[in-house]
Each structure stands twice: as C-alpha cells, then as structure tokens.
Amino acid sequence: MSAVKTYKNLIDGEWVASRSGKTFENLNPANTSDVVGIFQSSNEQDVNDAVSAAQKAFETWRLVPAPRRAEIIFRAGELLTQRKEQYAHDMTREMGKVLKETRGDVQEAIDTAYFMAGEGRRLFGATVPSELPNKFAMAIRVPLGVVGMIAPWNFPMAIPSWKLFPALVCGNTCVIKPAEDTPLSTINLVQTLIDAGLPKGVVNIVTGFGPEAGAPIVNHPDVRAISFTGSSEVGRIVGEAAARSFKPCSLEMGGKNAIIVLDDAHIDLAIDGAVWGAFGTTGQRCTAASRGPNGRCHPAPSPERRHRPMGRAARADSTTGPSCRRGR
C-alpha cells in the first residue's frame, strides 16, 4: 500500500503547513478505509497569512490588463481538458459521485474557463451625457481587492471555478476555503491555474472547517467581498456577518424543490425527470427534487425506468453513488 499523501495550504505561492499543527483525513465514502489524503486543519492565523499574501499580490495583479488575465484562465481551460479524466476520478474517490457526473463537474469548470476568458475583452464601462457644459461622464470597472470564498462539497470543482474565474478576470485576488469533505478537487483546480501561469499569491487556499477557517475569512477586515455556497443555516450567519461591515456578499444556499406533473405529461419523460431530479448526485444538490405530486394515479413506468443501479461510483454500471459522508 502506498503512503498517504499530505496536502498543505497554498499561501503566497508556497505549499505550507497550518500554523495550528493539526490535520484531518479525507476519506473515500465508498470505502472509508481508503484515505484520499491528509489535509491541513487551518485557523485564523493561516487565514491572516493568506489574506496578507492576497493583498500583496493585488497590487500587481490589478494592473495586468484584463485580456492578459483572461488568457491565463483560457490556458487553465485547456489544461483542465487534458486532465479531465484524472480529476474526475479524483473527485469520485473523494466525494462519491459517479464518474459520468464528476466528468460533468470538471466539464463545467472547463466551460466556465472558456466563457470567462472571453469576458476579459468585455469588461465594458459606460459613457453618459453630463448635465454640465464641456463635460462628459464615464464609468470604468475596477477590482474590489481580496475576495473570500467558501465552497461546498457537492460540486467541488465546478462551483469553485464559478467563484474564482470571474473574480480573477476582473482583477481581484482570492482566498478560498474548500469544503472539508472535498479539498483535493479545489487543490487540483488551483494547481491547474498555477500551471497556466497564475502569479503567486493571486489565489490562496486554506483547508479546514467552518468555525476555525471559514469564519475568519468572512470576518477579516481586509476581505472586501464574500462568495458563499452552502447550507441556508450557515449562509444566514455569513450574510449577517458580512452585513455588519457592509461587505458585498453572494449567497447560494439550499432549496426545497417540487416536481409538478400535469395531466397531459409524457409519463416516461416525467419519471426520467423526477428520478434524475431526486437521485442525481445522490440527491445532494440545492436543486434536487424533494417534493412530488400526490393524488393522481399514473401508469406504471417501464422496467428500465424502475431499475437504477447503485454502488461504488467508480463502477461503470453505477448510476447512483454513496452519500459524501454519513449523515448527509
């Protein structure tokens, strides 16, 4: 058996151990004796170091022309395409989605990279008539500074890409805390950015848990904006904390979604939608279907629609993998 790899925080371009001296194990949910890796259990000191590094990098990164920043994101998209299969297998091992879904997760990051690369040439401002004589008025876009990001475990590469790529193209620097269940996928994503030419300190990673590592990011006075994806309960705490300092805050939280089947529905298609909506990603999505119709009887579904193989996500015939961890 090969030795378990220890992963470190990324701060100012260097992979460093947490100042806490503590680590935690990331386990394969399909086989909890399989340790995916050992990760840093970060604390407020680590966050302070990461924010300081991001502040220092901001002074030069904000001056890089937006099209040049976007070219790095485009190159990252090319590298993600080359590494898609490797990263999909890593993701399946660490959080349990079937390979078809983890390949889709990586693909979303690829698509986001290509889209945001184009936005580097579309950071338009506006010119408007002025009521003052011999004057004109214009608006230009300027980066905010250091952006704090807290990512979830259910789409551990797609969602960090949605947060990181737009912020970077716009000239911001970032401190990101991935979910403690899926830190490897975020590390893979950021390593790809580094390999694409991202300068040191522009993106910093602190791994660990919400109270010790997430809360210091939200409350840090030099973090100018927050992007959070997670539960509604934690999102409420994040939103309230950001509001105290009038910090811009993006929250993407949970949902309670219904399936509505009308009388003229094609029943097999409706069943496909309901099954995918409820059990895709093992139901671990804010958009997962959790409520259905009650009362009207429909014809029985065809046998192939009644059969949905479940098992280890790395198996080719599995359509539903395990929950990311017990209790989900």
Side-chain angles (χ1 to χ4, degrees), residues 1 4 39-40 72 81 119 121 123 135 165 178 202 231 277:
M1 181 181 293
V4 176
F39 294 84
Q40 305 303 305
I72 294 174
T81 301
E119 291 302 294
R121 295 182 180 273
L123 295 182
K135 305 289 183 183
F165 294 170
V202 174
S231 71

Side-chain angles (χ1 to χ4, degrees), residues 58 62 69 141-145 167 170-173 224:
F58 178 67
R62 67 186 179 87
R69 297 192 297 253
R141 295 176 182 267
V142 295
L144 289 171
C170 291
N172 301 286
T173 56
R224 299 294 306 277

Side-chain angles (χ1 to χ4, degrees), residues 72-85:
I72 294 174
I73 304 302
F74 185 90
R75 287 196 293 272
E78 298 284 270
L79 291 174
L80 286 169
T81 301
Q82 296 169 20
R83 301 172 184 179
K84 179 177 177 179
E85 198 66 14

Side-chain angles (χ1 to χ4, degrees), residues 62-214:
R62 67 186 179 87
L63 301 177
V64 176
R68 301 285 84 80
R69 297 192 297 253
E71 286 170 7
I72 294 174
I73 304 302
F74 185 90
R75 287 196 293 272
E78 298 284 270
L79 291 174
L80 286 169
T81 301
Q82 296 169 20
R83 301 172 184 179
K84 179 177 177 179
E85 198 66 14
Q86 172 198 336
Y87 288 171
H89 277 81
D90 284 348
M91 192 185 303
T92 289
R93 184 181 172 211
E94 98 168 326
M95 63 82 63
K97 283 198 293 193
V98 296
L99 279 170
K100 181 178 180 180
E101 292 182 356
T102 55
R103 290 180 183 122
D105 201 304
V106 180
Q107 186 62 48
E108 289 197 43
I110 294 167
D111 294 343
T112 303
Y114 291 150
F115 178 82
M116 289 312 305
E119 291 302 294
R121 295 182 180 273
R122 289 191 289 269
L123 295 182
F124 304 132
T127 57
V128 296
S130 172
E131 73 268 19
L132 301 175
N134 302 315
K135 305 289 183 183
F136 77 96
M138 69 176 183
I140 59 172
R141 295 176 182 267
V142 295
L144 289 171
V146 180
V147 179
M149 301 171 175
I150 300 173
W153 48 269
N154 55 349
F155 291 89
M157 187 169 287
I159 291 178
S161 77
W162 303 345
K163 298 178 185 298
L164 286 168
F165 294 170
L168 294 173
V169 168
C170 291
N172 301 286
T173 56
C174 307
V175 176
I176 185 167
K177 189 198 86 66
E180 60 268 23
D181 293 313
T182 54
L184 179 57
S185 292
T186 298
I187 286 176
N188 283 343
L189 177 66
V190 174
Q191 182 63 59
T192 303
L193 284 167
I194 294 169
D195 295 343
L198 192 74
K200 70 175 187 177
V202 174
V203 173
N204 303 270
I205 306 174
V206 289
T207 59
F209 299 83
E212 295 81 15

